[in-house]
Amino acid sequence: DLLLLNEISFGIAEGDKIGLIASNGSGKTTLLNIISGKEPYDNGRVVFRNDIRIDYLDQSPQFEPELTVLEACFSVDNETVKLIAQYEEIMTSGNQEGLDEVLSKMDLLNAWDYEQRIKQILTQLKIVDFKQKIRELSGGQVKRVALANVLISEPELIMLDEPTNHLDLEMVEWLEEYLSRNNISLLMVTHDRYFLDRVCNSIIEIDNKQIYTYKGNYSYYLEKRDERLSTEGSEVAKAKNLMRKELEWMRRQPKARGTKSKSRIDAF
């Protein structure tokens, strides 16, 4: 088995907008899948604040192919959609039990204009035929429908895997402005360096199964990463030099003394 991550630890605070950086195959998507509960992990724990709302845009979202775009947006498992379904069921059945509580929650979550807001976001992402079947959409269009679903649910923590793939410049600029709102917490994987630079206020790098956190945007990360690698390179060079000297000492077999210093041997 390939070990991707080893005894890592980090936290995400409210308002953090974190870019997750690593070379391909280093575990970026795996880490997002672990946090979102889509993949198991060998040991450790993932802890969330009570009642936090989380949504995740993965690389290859799936919908039922016969659903329309709008139906797909109402097929997701989020609190607002469930509440709307509950309200419609009460109104259809004629049984008013629990109606006051549902109405109160719908006011709290701004559920009354949910359909209008989802149409606005879809339009910003250039999905304008809301009755079109999912099976008729390109892969890029399906990804944009999935992105709209994540944004409309207004989670407190958004996790995005390559959100700017299949977006043109106008859409990227709109998404950048949307994600820059202060109350959104974000954990994101993207190869778009300019997007990282403008949106993120923190970078987490996966390198050699460990993670390194940089409190700044992508440009700051590049600067501090070079400093870290330079320091590590210097430390490795010193260790190699010491190792060479100690290896020479170990290989020498002094005739006069029968034993070498045990502590030095242990240190070697």
Side-chain angles (χ1 to χ4, degrees):
D1 290 338
L2 175 64
L3 180 64
L4 290 175
L5 306 161
N6 186 34
E7 296 188 6
I8 65 168
S9 179
F10 68 98
I12 303 173
E14 186 176 2
D16 280 353
K17 293 176 175 58
I18 300 171
L20 187 57
I21 305 285
S23 56
N24 289 338
S26 297
K28 301 186 295 292
T29 295
T30 299
L31 182 56
L32 292 184
N33 285 340
I34 286 172
I35 294 170
S36 66
K38 290 197 169 192
E39 279 194 41
Y41 47 97
D42 300 308
N43 54 60
R45 59 199 184 112
V46 180
V47 181
F48 296 106
R49 194 193 73 203
N50 288 341
D51 302 323
I52 190 171
R53 298 192 311 278
I54 299 168
D55 216 333
Y56 175 37
L57 175 72
D58 62 29
Q59 280 188 338
S60 304
Q62 302 290 327
F63 296 102
E64 289 292 330
E66 292 305 315
L67 294 176
T68 66
V69 168
L70 201 56
E71 285 170 344
C73 293
F74 277 90
S75 70
V76 294
D77 184 20
N78 76 45
E79 190 178 357
T80 305
V81 168
K82 288 178 183 175
L83 196 60
I84 292 170
Q86 192 178 351
Y87 169 76
E88 289 177 348
E89 185 180 341
I90 289 173
M91 298 310 291
T92 304
S93 68
N95 181 358
Q96 303 291 302
E97 186 179 348
L99 179 60
D100 288 343
E101 184 183 353
V102 169
L103 292 175
S104 176
K105 286 182 178 178
M106 288 189 70
D107 287 337
L108 186 65
L109 294 176
N110 297 319
W112 300 107
D113 61 347
Y114 184 87
E115 182 174 332
Q116 186 59 35
R117 286 185 288 130
I118 194 69
K119 286 179 178 178
Q120 287 174 351
I121 292 176
L122 285 167
T123 302
Q124 291 285 358
L125 296 172
K126 299 187 178 176
I127 304 288
V128 293
D129 185 353
F130 307 130
K131 294 182 179 178
Q132 190 173 10
K133 299 282 190 183
I134 290 293
R135 59 178 166 79
E136 298 171 358
L137 301 180
S138 68
Q141 288 173 317
V142 171
K143 182 86 179 259
R144 278 181 265 153
V145 171
L147 176 58
N149 265 327
V150 170
L151 299 180
I152 190 60
S153 65
E154 297 185 343
E156 290 154 300
L157 172 61
I158 299 177
M159 294 190 294
L160 304 174
D161 198 348
E162 298 293 356
T164 60
N165 287 6
H166 314 294
L167 302 187
D168 62 22
L169 181 59
E170 187 180 342
M171 289 186 273
V172 169
E173 288 177 344
W174 173 83
L175 181 60
E176 176 190 320
E177 183 181 347
Y178 188 98
L179 294 175
S180 295
R181 298 175 185 175
N182 290 332
N183 59 334
I184 293 177
S185 301
L186 174 68
L187 180 61
M188 173 176 65
V189 171
T190 178
H191 287 94
D192 188 334
R193 296 182 175 188
Y194 298 103
F195 191 73
L196 276 171
D197 220 15
R198 292 191 291 261
V199 173
C200 294
N201 57 26
S202 188
I203 301 291
I204 288 178
E205 178 190 21
I206 302 174
D207 185 24
N208 194 28
K209 306 178 187 64
Q210 298 296 309
I211 61 170
Y212 301 89
T213 301
Y214 305 83
K215 291 294 183 183
N217 63 8
Y218 186 73
S219 297
Y220 177 84
Y221 151 74
L222 289 177
E223 178 188 339
K224 293 302 177 183
R225 178 178 179 272
D226 285 345
E227 289 179 13
R228 175 176 69 81
L229 293 178
S230 177
T231 301
E232 287 178 358
S234 176
E235 289 171 354
V236 168
K238 287 178 183 176
K240 284 182 176 178
N241 189 40
L242 178 61
M243 177 72 174
R244 188 176 65 253
K245 289 179 181 176
E246 292 299 286
L247 182 59
E248 289 172 0
W249 178 81
M250 286 290 290
R251 284 173 173 166
R252 289 200 299 268
Q253 296 293 333
K255 304 286 188 194
R257 296 194 301 272
T259 59
K260 292 179 181 286
S261 163
K262 185 177 183 307
S263 62
R264 192 167 174 182
I265 292 172
D266 289 343
F268 170 77

